[in-house]
Structures are given as structure tokens and as C-alpha cells.
Amino acid sequence: MHARQQPGPAPEWWRNAVIYQVYPRSFADADGDGTGDLAGVRERLPYLAALGVDALWFTPWYRSPQADGGYDVADYREIDPALGTLADAEALIADALALGIRTIVDVVPNHVSSAHAWFQEALAAPPGHPARGRFWFHDGKDGGRRMPTAWTSSFGGDTWTRTAGPDGEPGQWYLHLFTPEQPDLNWNHPDVVAEHEAVLRFWYDRGVAGIRIDSAALIAKDPDLPEVGEHHEPGTHPHLDRDELHDVYRGWRKVADSYGGDRLLVGEVWLEDIDRFVRYLRDDEMHMAFNFDFMTRPWDAAALAESIRATLDAHARVGAPPTWVLSNHDVTRPVTRYGREDTSFSFAAKRFGTPTDLALGARRARAAALLTAALPGVLYVYQGDELGLPEVEDLPEGARRDPMHFRSGGTDPGRDGCRVPLPWTAAGDTCGFNTTGAPPWLPQPAGWGSRAADLQEADPDSFLNLYRTAIRLRRTEPALRTGDFAWTEAAPGTLAFRRGADLTCVVNFGDAPADLPAHTEALLASAPLDRDANGGGRLPGDAAAWLRN
């Protein structure tokens, strides 16, 4: 185990951090019931310390009916019983910090669970009661027969559900941009503002270093509830990226800053307009936001170079660190995505039966890992990507849980394929996910153990050791920590850039080998290099290398 000194207060520790995303239900199962838990994460902290990460981001671990993988929160002050207790969370935060690893937790401000006490109170109250003011209740059109709007859910389908009164007669409608089990909150209500600021304090008081803000651009709604048109002036969409929501995050920033300046706010901000995107990163709002533009681009030199340039330029304008991420708990894993004819990602394009070449995808995913790790800013790693796990696309009939699949009428495979429990050992019924052999909550595919962490630890050329070495070099090489970024000359179909005075990253997106620039040392490569005695050589297709100049 590679323990590091426990970090104290360190303002801006996050500017070049490596942050590892944990989906707790699928990480490790300590109590053997088939569902991952916080005790399982605690047991695997030595693995995470050896990987070299600076922080863990946990998807929601709060009490939840699990209608949407925990993003339907019933109580922010309780841990879901399937995952553990509040004491388990506090112990995990402390144990991780003792190894030099900070903790980031999810907050979901757009909505709560329909099981939340507020919503249950609202359902029991009559129309016009103050309890309904925390949500978006509406009488509807045509005497209540029609929904207030024709807005489309982020998961497909309608965004309004009609309630029933005590006598069973149809009542008001309520808004949910996701599932009916996730009623949207009304951010014009002071209770909503005050409660979320209290939730931030609750978790900051327990030692978390940061808050990740889910669906951050959705929380404000036009109270007139107009329909969504083909075009809206910036800041005027009925429920996306409205100008007034920035006051909410200014309030959150004041809470974070009151803890000494080393607490973090991270936004999930899905916006195509990069100028609107960086407004969330002004110095009185969030510290950083996820770079979805880069993540969804195809495996193509020109497309990724365009994204890198735009990202660096936009973040420089506001002084925020860029972030680089290849996948998360919502997105098809890189090994599968990069092996397809269309290597980009969009939710609308996900379909069953899309062919993929996993060997090709693995080569490209290894190269992409070095590309992202060499860029200036923050690196995010989704659990299992460091093992080169593919998307599990052949889950058995009846195993899927994701509402995106069901609300699409079964045409969208959903997101379960990237959430299958991790393989820790080559042996065992559950590949080390637990020791009881209890079936995991999502079934692992045949051959999952061949990708296990214990096998990869012993293989110097494995995905795991590639990630470990890259993360170690990010920490130990001054050029990768704080060095300037500059593009350098590259052959067609390749990218090359310099970090600092003496380190170059080269990526070959083509099939054929490409000439390497002159160098004195190859620090790391995603595939074997063909080097010559004169300081040159060839870089294989779909490969990347870090070179000392």
C-alpha cells in the first residue's frame, strides 16, 4: 500500500487532481448481500491509494428507493441501508483522508425522491397549500385534462404526472424532468434554498472536501411554463441554463468558502455553448465542471484537438481548471465506444446490437488514457476504466434496472452496462466482488475474471499498471504538474503537444505507424515503441507516448 501524508487545508488542491468516481453499489460488497457498500470501499482503500488518486467522488449514497440509481434522494442525512450507515460514511471519509485521499459527494438539487418527506407532505395537502409550493404543482389545461406543458423528459416521455385526491378523483399535475419518482423542486421557494445550503454544511462538517452538483443547469424554471421552442435567447430557455440559477450557486460558493477555501464545488453542466458553460466557473460560483464536449467527441485527431483548444481557451478566460474525462456512470465505456464505427457518444444513438471491435477499442482507450492524463487540469477516472473494462451489453433478460431503458420502450439499452460490479479477483463466483458468492445486483458476464485487478497487478503491461504509472508521473514530473501547454508540429492524423520545457505527448490516431519526434527518453507508452538509436522511432497506430525532449 502506498500511503501518503494526510492532507491538511490546501486551497486549490484540486487544480491538477486525479479524482476517481465510485459507484458504491458496484465497487465492492463487504457484507456479502450482492450490493456494494461503504464498508467494501473502506476495504479497498489500499487499492485506491496505490492507484494514486487524490480524491474519490461518490455517486449518491443517501437513503433512496433506487428508482434512478440513488439519484432519487429521500433523505440527505441518512445513508441508504443497502450501503451502510452514517457512521460508515464518516469512517470512510476519515480513513481515506488518512491515506491522502479526499472525498466528494453528490447533491441533486433539481429534484428529490417521491418518497421524500416534503413530497409526501405535499401529496397529502390540498391544492394551494404551502407544502405544495416547494414543488411545481399545476392544475393543468382544459380543466385539468391535459398536462401543463409538452416538455420532454431527459429520460424520454412526459414530464408531468397527475395526482389523485383522497376520494380517488384526479387532482393536480406535478413536474418531473426525469422520472415520476423524481419530482422537481421549486427553487423560487426559500425552504428549498435554505435546505440545500444546510445539506452542504452537514457534509462539509463531516469532512468531505467537495460537492458534485448533478444536473446543475436544470434547476431554474420559467414560472409561466412556456413550451420549449426551436430557439431561445441565452438564459431564457424554460428549464435549462436560466440566468437566475447563478444566484443559487453564488450562495453555495459562500458556504464552501466559509470552510477555509479548500472546499470544492463541481458542476455537471451539459451545455453546447461553451461561453454559457464557463459562466458557471466564475470566481464566485463553481470551481470546476465536467467537460462533456471532450468526452463525447469521436476518436479523431482534428475533433479532439478542436475540443482541447476550445476548452483551454474558455477556461483560461475565467481562471478555472479544465477537466478531462473519458466516461462516467452514464456513458458507454471507452473500450466499447472506441471500437465502433461511430466512436462519438450521444444518448440518442444508443441501441442494442451495435457492433464493436474490443481489441481496437482497448488500444484506443489506452492511448486516450495517456492523452487525457497529459493535459493540464483535472483528470477524472470512472471506476473500472483503469481495468479496461468494456460495456456489458448482453445483460440477461430482466436484469436491467435503468429507467432510461424502460422509458424508451426498451429500445435504449440504458446505462446498466457500465455499472456492472467490478472484478477484483480472477477466481471466485463473483470475481472477488464479495466472498459469499451472493449474486451481484447486476450480473457479471462470463470471463469477467480475466480482467480482474489481481491479474492486472502482476502484469506490467496491463491497463491497471498503465494508469498507475501515468498517475504517478503526473505527480512526480514537474512538467505534468505545472508546466505550460503548447501544441507542437505533428504528422497528419496525429496530435502532439508539449508540457513544460521537456515533455511531449504524441498520439497517433491512424492505423499505420507514425514518426516519433526526436527525444532522449520514452517515459511511458500505451503500446510498444519502435525506437532507433538516433533518438527517433515509430509510434504504432492508435497509440500514445510521453517523451522526454
Side-chain angles (χ1 to χ4, degrees):
M1 179 173 68
H2 303 284
R4 301 194 299 277
Q5 184 176 1
Q6 178 176 347
E12 302 195 344
W13 62 268
W14 33 267
R15 281 192 171 269
N16 60 358
V18 178
I19 301 175
Y20 185 95
Q21 181 188 354
V22 177
Y23 193 80
R25 292 168 62 82
S26 299
F27 191 74
D29 172 19
D31 65 9
D33 65 355
T35 298
D37 44 46
L38 301 191
V41 181
R42 287 181 70 192
E43 290 179 355
R44 297 292 180 177
L45 284 174
Y47 168 88
L48 295 165
L51 186 58
V53 302
D54 298 294
L56 305 177
W57 155 37
F58 288 86
T59 56
W61 56 20
Y62 319 107
R63 185 164 63 82
S64 166
Q66 300 294 324
D68 180 24
Y71 283 89
D72 48 320
V73 178
D75 191 332
Y76 277 106
R77 294 169 178 82
E78 291 184 13
I79 300 300
D80 193 83
L83 303 180
T85 65
L86 182 59
D88 290 332
E90 292 171 336
L92 174 53
I93 293 165
D95 287 356
L97 196 61
L99 293 175
I101 302 172
R102 291 174 165 89
T103 297
I104 298 168
V105 297
D106 243 310
V107 169
V108 190
N110 182 69
H111 51 262
V112 292
S113 168
S114 56
H116 191 283
W118 276 4
F119 192 69
Q120 289 299 303
E121 181 186 4
L123 287 179
H129 190 279
R132 292 201 167 190
R134 299 170 178 145
F135 300 92
W136 291 95
F137 281 87
H138 197 281
D139 290 336
K141 296 179 178 179
D142 294 343
R145 291 186 297 276
R146 291 198 299 129
M147 294 180 293
T149 71
W151 297 354
T152 300
S153 167
S154 297
F155 289 169
D158 297 330
T159 57
W160 295 90
T161 291
R162 199 169 188 186
T163 63
D167 57 1
E169 290 297 314
Q172 288 187 304
W173 300 78
Y174 69 88
L175 175 67
H176 50 84
L177 291 183
F178 292 87
T179 70
E181 294 84 7
Q182 295 165 286
D184 279 36
L185 291 163
N186 177 6
W187 275 89
N188 299 317
H189 198 291
D191 287 358
V192 175
V193 175
E195 168 63 4
H196 281 77
E197 291 184 359
V199 166
L200 265 61
R201 292 188 183 94
F202 181 88
W203 287 104
Y204 283 145
D205 287 343
R206 277 153 185 79
V208 306
I211 303 292
R212 182 262 189 185
I213 308 166
D214 180 74
S215 301
L218 291 177
I219 67 172
K221 279 79 174 178
D222 186 333
D224 293 332
L225 300 177
E227 295 294 353
V228 175
E230 292 186 5
H231 173 75
H232 295 276
E233 290 300 314
T236 67
H237 188 283
H239 60 75
L240 175 65
D241 185 36
R242 293 184 61 78
D243 287 338
E244 59 265 33
L245 60 70
H246 291 280
D247 286 338
V248 171
Y249 299 129
R250 291 188 181 99
W252 289 26
R253 180 61 176 264
K254 290 177 182 177
V255 173
D257 288 349
S258 72
Y259 283 81
D262 67 338
R263 305 300 173 100
L264 176 67
L265 294 175
V266 185
E268 183 194 31
V269 183
W270 285 84
L271 293 175
E272 293 183 4
D273 186 334
I274 199 164
D275 294 320
R276 297 290 299 182
F277 171 86
V278 296
R279 285 167 56 87
Y280 292 79
L281 306 180
R282 292 172 290 191
D283 60 10
D284 61 348
E285 294 190 49
M286 302 175 193
H287 298 84
M288 69 176 78
F290 291 110
N291 186 353
F292 293 110
D293 178 79
F294 179 87
M295 180 179 69
T296 58
R297 294 280 183 132
W299 180 249
D300 176 82
L304 288 172
E306 179 185 53
S307 181
I308 292 167
R309 288 190 183 95
T311 297
L312 294 177
D313 290 348
H315 285 74
R317 295 200 298 270
V318 292
T323 66
W324 311 101
V325 57
L326 297 175
S327 73
N328 62 28
H329 64 292
D330 291 332
V331 173
T332 304
R333 286 194 182 271
V335 166
T336 296
R337 190 169 79 244
Y338 288 149
R340 291 179 168 160
E341 182 177 356
D342 179 1
T343 54
S344 64
F345 176 82
S346 74
F347 287 110
K350 289 188 72 173
R351 290 296 182 269
F352 287 102
T354 305
T356 189
D357 179 340
L358 291 180
L360 174 63
R363 291 197 302 273
R364 291 172 170 175
R366 288 172 62 91
L370 295 196
L371 169 61
T372 53
L375 291 167
V378 184
L379 176 65
Y380 280 83
V381 178
Y382 176 50
Q383 67 177 44
D385 280 356
E386 82 279 10
L387 301 177
L389 298 183
E391 190 86 353
V392 179
E393 300 191 284
D394 57 351
L395 287 166
E397 184 70 25
R400 296 181 188 275
R401 308 289 186 89
D402 185 16
M404 290 191 78
H405 170 66
F406 298 107
R407 288 177 67 85
S408 73
T411 61
D412 184 337
R415 300 163 294 174
D416 295 306
C418 63
R419 302 176 179 183
V420 171
L422 298 187
W424 291 100
T425 62
D429 293 337
T430 66
C431 304
F433 178 62
N434 59 35
T435 59
T436 63
W441 72 280
L442 280 175
Q444 297 166 316
W448 207 228
S450 67
R451 305 175 187 277
D454 66 344
L455 288 183
Q456 296 204 31
E457 285 182 337
D459 178 2
D461 297 323
S462 68
F463 256 96
L464 178 57
N465 282 311
L466 179 73
Y467 267 85
R468 283 182 173 177
T469 303
I471 292 170
R472 175 179 57 80
L473 290 172
R474 272 180 60 98
R475 179 172 287 111
T476 58
E477 287 288 330
L480 290 173
R481 282 205 317 274
T482 58
D484 293 338
F485 174 96
W487 294 104
T488 61
E489 186 175 351
T494 68
L495 290 182
F497 55 86
R498 178 182 53 76
R499 292 295 311 279
D502 66 344
L503 195 147
T504 297
C505 176
V506 185
V507 187
N508 182 4
F509 292 82
D511 298 327
D515 289 336
L516 286 169
H519 58 280
T520 60
E521 179 186 6
L523 292 177
L524 185 61
S526 66
L529 303 179
D530 179 14
R531 301 180 68 207
D532 61 35
N534 299 317
R538 306 278 280 170
L539 177 66
D542 293 311
W546 293 356
L547 308 174
R548 182 91 68 195
N549 301 340

